[in-house]
Amino acid sequence: MSGGEPIDGEVSAELPSEMTTRLSLKESAIAGLGGAALDALMASCRYRTEGEEHFRPFWDAGQPVIFTLWHGRLLPCTYHHRHQGVVTLVSLHRDGEYITRAVRRWGYTAVRGSSSRGGLDALRELIRHVKHGRSLAITPDGPRGPREKMKPGPVIIAQRTGAPIIPVVSGASRASYFGGWDRFLIPHPFARLQIAYGEPVFVPRRADEAQIQTIMDDVEVRLGGLMRRVAEKW
């Protein structure tokens, strides 16, 4: 490792999956207590899934998939797939450290980076993970929006690796929504959670820029349909 230990607010010069943002003692304590409370909250909820047949054949055959979901709906999906060896992308922004600590505790490999900072190195590492058989979970509207609008990351990874994109969303019978741009869903205790998966989307290896955009638009539409699905009356 080069560059020595990171100072407050800086990120160590390591692989994107090894990066950690230094938090103060108070912030670290808050992260620890918040993580324990989050575990208890998510364990109290009941889960229902639909559309698992869209990714299970790949999963059971040991073939990676690229779960693609909106940033505001990541919490139920992330908890549901905990300790399954999934790799996820988390921004290098300071608040991303709280998410990083939570998902690493749930068994994820957290690759740090975004379209605005560290994106190329993160993209390369994500592609390497998929080529080695690891599934991904990516929020293509993160880390700063616009909300529920696709960015090209998942499509590029799918093009380079041949892995299918699996759209996925979550909803809750009772929840609060936080955040300025993403309306981040946090379920209430003992809520009923629904996770819906869409059909796989494949990206041709030789897809040009116009085809990439068409596929991005298609995935966005599919995610919108799934959002309406989980919003239906339970």
Side-chain angles (χ1 to χ4, degrees):
M1 181 176 69
S2 62
E5 291 297 321
I7 63 174
D8 187 48
E10 292 185 343
V11 178
S12 58
E14 300 171 305
L15 288 173
S17 57
E18 299 171 342
M19 290 180 176
T20 299
T21 304
R22 176 70 64 84
L23 299 179
S24 68
L25 290 176
K26 181 179 178 180
E27 290 170 327
S28 294
I30 292 172
L33 292 172
L38 190 60
D39 286 343
L41 168 64
M42 300 308 296
S44 76
C45 297
R46 290 175 290 166
Y47 293 78
R48 183 177 73 184
T49 64
E50 62 177 63
E52 285 198 3
E53 68 275 9
H54 297 314
F55 77 87
R56 281 291 176 189
F58 304 103
W59 196 276
D60 293 342
Q63 299 173 5
V65 301
I66 304 168
F67 292 116
T68 300
L69 59 152
W70 297 137
H71 193 275
R73 300 303 179 98
L74 69 85
L75 184 54
C77 298
T78 304
Y79 185 81
H80 183 65
H81 284 285
R82 68 196 186 282
H83 303 302
Q84 295 180 357
V86 178
V87 179
T88 190
L89 179 66
V90 184
S91 80
L92 281 169
H93 292 282
R94 192 175 188 83
D95 55 5
E97 180 63 20
Y98 295 97
I99 297 175
T100 296
R101 295 189 182 200
V103 299
R104 284 176 176 167
R105 190 175 62 253
W106 290 342
Y108 286 78
T109 296
V111 174
R112 305 296 299 272
S114 67
S115 57
S116 60
R117 185 180 174 198
L120 185 57
D121 287 341
L123 181 66
R124 288 169 176 161
E125 185 169 353
L126 291 170
I127 289 171
R128 286 198 299 270
H129 281 299
V130 175
K131 288 183 175 180
H132 284 86
R134 302 282 299 279
S135 291
L136 306 183
I138 299 182
T139 57
D141 58 345
R144 299 295 183 186
R147 179 164 63 95
E148 297 175 12
K149 293 295 181 181
M150 281 287 294
K151 294 188 182 78
V155 180
I156 292 173
I157 296 170
Q159 179 189 33
R160 300 287 180 85
T161 64
I165 294 170
I166 304 292
V168 55
V169 304
S170 63
S173 60
R174 295 178 293 112
S176 295
Y177 298 85
F178 299 89
W181 70 270
D182 64 346
R183 297 194 74 242
F184 193 85
L185 180 152
I186 297 182
H188 292 174
F190 307 104
R192 288 173 290 125
L193 304 180
Q194 179 167 296
I195 300 174
Y197 303 88
E199 296 180 356
V201 177
F202 292 91
V203 181
R205 179 72 177 182
R206 298 185 180 276
D208 59 22
E209 186 175 343
Q211 289 174 298
I212 293 292
Q213 184 61 57
T214 297
I215 293 169
M216 288 170 58
D217 294 341
D218 178 48
V219 174
E220 188 173 304
V221 168
R222 291 171 186 249
L223 284 166
L226 292 172
M227 288 285 281
R228 291 188 292 274
R229 176 68 182 136
V230 299
E232 292 177 359
K233 187 175 181 180
W234 294 49

